[in-house]
Amino acid sequence: MSRNEAGKPMSDDATKGLSLPVRRVIACIGIVVFLAVYVVIVSSIGERLPDNDWVHLLYYGLSGILWGIPVLPIISWSENYKGRKR
């Protein structure tokens, strides 16, 4: 039987974790919420940039690529299902 951080035995239900479909739903909701907040923040900052096409190109180009970095751990978590056979 597994033990928690305090050293007490954990029930089998607690060690099972979430099923793959539940993880995917949580991850999808998390990604959508993150992207909505990200877009608001990026556009708010973009409005305050100097009126220079090169600055806008660089800023929005990087912003369009860099959103993927924080999303990768969410995707990894959602697909890291211990009961899944490989």
Side-chain angles (χ1 to χ4, degrees):
M1 183 176 278
S2 299
R3 298 191 178 271
N4 64 11
E5 292 174 3
K8 296 181 180 179
M10 293 174 27
S11 68
D12 289 336
D13 292 339
T15 58
K16 276 186 181 179
L18 300 171
S19 66
L20 185 58
V22 172
R23 283 177 176 257
R24 286 183 177 167
V25 168
I26 292 170
C28 286
I29 292 169
I31 290 170
V32 168
V33 169
F34 167 76
L35 287 177
V37 171
Y38 184 80
V39 166
V40 168
I41 292 170
V42 166
S43 61
S44 297
I45 294 171
E47 290 175 355
R48 292 168 176 79
L49 291 175
D51 194 21
N52 183 329
D53 290 339
W54 287 106
V55 172
H56 286 214
L57 179 66
L58 182 64
Y59 175 73
Y60 286 113
L62 285 174
S63 298
I65 294 169
L66 295 178
W67 67 268
I69 293 171
V71 170
L72 287 175
I74 298 171
I75 294 170
S76 293
W77 172 81
S78 72
E79 295 299 322
N80 189 14
Y81 182 62
K82 291 182 178 130
R84 190 167 140 192
K85 296 177 184 174
R86 293 186 179 208

